[in-house]
């Protein structure tokens, strides 16, 4: 199975400041066509996960441009340029290049 | 508008059977994989299995194969997750999601069904 390791496990951020979350994969998530099958989700308290970023760096419909994704075949980063109150929750990375689909352990973001 | 509406909270005794549902609307149900994710209390997300309603192909995580089954009804555009014999450790929230498959981004999720297994 592909293991996704997220760091840090928790993050306390001052509103308006940037935040960065890392996701490291045990195998390359690059498909033969160059597509990186790495996704980022935000699960706000008491809600279901919502897709933020797909295929490494593409923002899903309605996602603010303060969210961005980057990375290579095995190392990935989600950045929030200026954290807002509505960004609080747990962020997960997920890979779908191979079965079983796997998720990172999650990074809990809270405000200072 | 894509919507996945999940069934209500269930409280069951250990050893009992259960089938929960996920009704889809706003897209062609037969052309998208629908998958299931478990979230145990205070824990992360785990993929369980997925089904393609168009031809009923299914895929399971080795961690769950043999313990659950996924199915779909094209007439009612509803996907199902079923257990034959529940255990206390099955207590969790279960989410359905569209495109939860190899190569997919799991783009839309249901609100989740809470299953409590307790005597």
């Amino acid at each position: 199975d592909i293991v996704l390791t997220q760091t840090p496990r928790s993050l306390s951020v001052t509103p308006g400041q940037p935040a960065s979350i890392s996701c490291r994969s045990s195998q390359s998530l690059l498909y033969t066509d160059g597509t990186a099958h790495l996704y980022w989700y935000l699960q706000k308290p008491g809600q279901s996960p919502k897709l933020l970023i797909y295929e490494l760096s593409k923002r899903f419909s309605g996602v603010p441009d303060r969210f961005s994704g980057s990375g290579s075949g095995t190392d990935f980063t989600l950045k929030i340029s200026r954290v807002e109150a509505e960004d609080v929750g747990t962020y997960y990375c997920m890979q779908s290049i191979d079965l079983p689909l796997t998720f990172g352990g999650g990074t809990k973001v809270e405000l200072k | 508008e894509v919507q996945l509406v999940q069934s209500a909270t269930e409280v069951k005794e250990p050893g009992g059977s259960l089938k929960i549902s996920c009704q889809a609307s706003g897209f062609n149900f037969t052309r998208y994989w629908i998958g299931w994710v478990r979230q145990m209390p205070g824990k992360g997300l785990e993929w369980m299995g997925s089904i393609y309603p168009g031809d009923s192909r299914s895929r399971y995580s080795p961690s769950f194969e043999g313990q659950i089954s996924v199915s779909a009804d094209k007439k009612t555009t509803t996907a199902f997750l079923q257990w034959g014999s529940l255990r206390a450790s099955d207590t969790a929230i279960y989410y359905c999601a569209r495109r939860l498959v190899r190569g997919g981004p799991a783009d839309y999720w249901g609100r989740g069904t809470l299953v409590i297994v307790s005597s």
Side-chain angles (χ1 to χ4, degrees), chain A residues 2 4 25 27-39 73 94-102, chain B residues 101-104:
Chain A
I2 294 175
L4 299 179
S25 174
Q27 299 178 34
S28 174
L29 302 184
L30 280 180
Y31 194 57
T32 52
D33 63 358
T35 303
H37 289 279
L38 188 281
Y39 309 90
M94 187 197 86
Q95 67 79 22
S96 71
I97 198 169
D98 200 8
L99 298 183
L101 307 179
T102 51
Chain B
V101 67
R102 186 171 182 229

Side-chain angles (χ1 to χ4, degrees), chain A residues 3-11 20-26 38-43 52 74-78 89-95 102-109, chain B residues 44-45:
Chain A
V3 177
L4 299 179
T5 303
Q6 281 186 242
T7 54
R9 295 306 303 267
S10 65
L11 199 50
S20 180
I21 299 170
S22 171
C23 176
R24 178 164 290 179
S25 174
S26 61
L38 188 281
Y39 309 90
W40 289 98
Y41 297 86
L42 167 58
Q43 185 176 32
L52 294 175
T74 57
D75 287 283
F76 308 95
T77 302
L78 176 71
T90 302
Y91 291 78
Y92 294 95
C93 56
M94 187 197 86
Q95 67 79 22
T102 51
F103 293 86
T107 296
K108 188 173 184 179
V109 172
Chain B
L45 306 172

Side-chain angles (χ1 to χ4, degrees), chain A residues 31 37 39 41 43 47-51 54 60-61 92 94 96-101 103 105, chain B residues 37 39 43-47 59 61-62 95 100-111:
Chain A
Y31 194 57
H37 289 279
Y39 309 90
Y41 297 86
Q43 185 176 32
Q47 296 185 19
S48 58
K50 300 288 193 296
L51 178 63
Y54 65 100
F60 190 53
S61 175
Y92 294 95
M94 187 197 86
S96 71
I97 198 169
D98 200 8
L99 298 183
L101 307 179
F103 293 86
Chain B
V37 169
Q39 187 167 40
K43 301 299 183 182
L45 306 172
E46 303 171 89
W47 173 66
R59 300 286 185 269
S61 166
Y95 296 102
L100 191 63
V101 67
R102 186 171 182 229
D107 51 4
Y108 292 93
W109 296 60
R111 292 189 176 185

Side-chain angles (χ1 to χ4, degrees), chain B residues 63-115:
Chain B
S63 298
F64 294 93
E65 192 151 24
Q67 300 172 37
I68 57 146
S69 64
V70 296
S71 60
D73 183 331
K74 288 188 283 189
K75 289 183 181 178
T76 61
T77 65
T78 302
F80 301 96
L81 174 64
Q82 187 170 8
W83 293 261
S85 181
L86 288 161
R87 300 178 287 192
S89 58
D90 292 317
T91 295
I93 297 175
Y94 295 87
Y95 296 102
C96 62
R98 192 181 78 159
R99 295 188 71 187
L100 191 63
V101 67
R102 186 171 182 229
D107 51 4
Y108 292 93
W109 296 60
R111 292 189 176 185
T113 294
L114 173 61
V115 173

